[in-house]
Amino acid sequence: MRKISIVAFAALLLVSCSDDEGDYKTTANVRMNFSVPANFPIPPQDIEQNFPTQEGFELGKKLFYDGRLSADNTISCSFCHEQSSAFTHHGHIFSHGINNQEGIRNAPPIQNMIFQSEYFYDGASNNIEMLSIAPIHNPVEMDETLQNIAEKLKQDNDYVQRFSRAFDDGEISSGNILKSLGQFMTMMVSANSRYDKYVRNELGGTLTNQELEGEDVFQQKCASCHVTDLFTDSSFRNNGLPPNANLNDLGREVVTGFDTDRYKFKVPSLRNIELTAPYMHDGRFGSLESVLNFYDTGVMHSETLDPVLENEEGLGIPLSQEEKEAIITFLKTLTDEEFVTNPLFYNQT
């Protein structure tokens, strides 16, 4: 593993006052041991701007599972991002919010966030600390404000103590709420699938002949968009998916305002893809078979269709049934059981 930085023991000492007794305690807010997997690229996000500490991480985890981040105190981040399904809303086409409202997009997985430069299907945020603002302020999802959340948390002595230990100023503020959530997400690295162990030549990293065949087909026909061991180039592309007439989701154009970005959505990572159905930004496909069938015969032409999907034989990616089966077998080697069962990310409150 390559270290982002030399992890120094004992970063800073924070002195905080306990409940009503007036006594004091000293806590070492230790930097966590973050490292870049050997087969991963260097993160585009500057981790030193908000390096995870033990106290900051634990605070972020508590916030992630707390319904008080929503207006009616019922919807937490974890409601749409469940660990067992790589922090997606498994089985739900669209994300759900307060008053049982539905959004217009499928909840993306929360994994390897520090290795991304832009977030959401349309790239509405480009900072790991700021991305939580979008779901919190969205009237269909959490419909709350950071200021209101801070006021709620100030009434909880446990949170008062946690913020005092996690940050220099000890304040329960919008900025510190976002920083702690950012620290929690920074540590959510998925890099121990069987595929990872295979490419790193580690114990347990053996692939079958069909899986190796699938990897070969994948490299030939899929890797132009799903590059590196992150399995995404983080670009925005129109993959030829016929628009959902009921949603009128323009994709990246919503953010940039450019009609050249119409129907372009962020290329998703394929890590843990076996666990994150349904697929596409609108969750229209319930299986990997359906996804590959779409790329084989369902791609629709439009002015912004990505050029890689136009070829001499027509539109899409020609795939035989044998190739489809091999690709799916390979994609299942990207499942990281250690990540989805890691107690470090459990709700322990």
Side-chain angles (χ1 to χ4, degrees), residues 128-339:
I128 193 171
E129 291 178 38
M130 303 301 289
L131 69 89
S132 298
I133 294 175
I136 288 173
H137 286 199
N138 190 307
V140 174
E141 295 184 45
M142 303 173 92
D143 194 29
E144 188 54 291
T145 68
L146 288 164
Q147 181 179 1
N148 285 347
I149 294 170
E151 292 304 315
K152 294 180 197 177
L153 302 184
K154 288 176 182 178
Q155 308 309 310
D156 185 324
N157 189 63
D158 181 53
Y159 270 119
V160 171
Q161 298 300 315
R162 286 175 180 268
F163 275 90
S164 73
R165 296 193 300 265
F167 298 105
D168 287 340
D169 61 14
E171 294 293 326
I172 298 181
S173 63
S174 297
N176 286 343
I177 290 170
L178 294 174
K179 285 181 178 179
S180 55
L181 287 168
Q183 289 186 30
F184 180 58
M185 289 185 285
T186 292
M187 296 301 298
M188 296 166 78
V189 176
S190 178
N192 282 312
S193 67
R194 190 152 51 88
Y195 167 82
D196 293 303
K197 295 172 183 177
Y198 164 73
V199 297
R200 296 195 299 252
N201 196 29
E202 296 174 356
L203 183 66
T206 302
L207 301 189
T208 67
N209 288 336
Q210 187 182 38
E211 290 165 349
L212 290 170
E213 177 188 346
E215 181 189 22
D216 185 57
V217 177
F218 180 88
Q219 292 299 327
Q220 295 176 39
K221 300 195 174 185
C222 310
S224 59
C225 298
H226 299 283
V227 301
T228 79
D229 281 355
L230 294 177
F231 289 92
T232 176
D233 64 358
S234 296
S235 67
F236 299 88
R237 300 175 185 254
N238 178 349
N239 69 347
L241 196 68
N244 188 321
N246 295 323
L247 301 179
N248 192 33
D249 190 345
L250 301 179
R252 180 68 168 159
E253 184 184 357
V254 174
V255 173
T256 67
F258 299 140
D259 56 13
T260 52
D261 285 330
R262 184 163 300 174
Y263 305 137
K264 291 183 179 180
F265 296 88
K266 187 178 178 183
V267 176
S269 170
L270 301 181
R271 286 189 163 273
N272 293 305
I273 195 72
E274 179 184 12
L275 307 177
T276 60
Y279 305 108
M280 302 297 176
H281 66 275
D282 60 3
R284 71 176 65 187
F285 296 131
S287 68
L288 292 172
E289 290 85 355
S290 296
V291 172
L292 293 182
N293 288 339
F294 158 73
Y295 279 115
D296 183 20
T297 61
V299 171
M300 185 186 80
H301 183 270
S302 68
E303 292 183 4
T304 60
L305 177 67
D306 198 278
V308 300
L309 295 171
E310 301 185 65
N311 54 73
E312 295 179 355
E313 301 177 33
L315 302 178
I317 305 172
L319 292 166
S320 68
Q321 185 60 34
E322 181 180 314
E323 288 175 324
K324 293 175 186 176
E325 291 173 1
I327 289 173
I328 291 172
T329 301
F330 167 67
L331 290 177
K332 290 181 178 180
T333 71
L334 304 181
T335 301
D336 184 352
E337 294 291 345
E338 294 179 33
F339 177 67

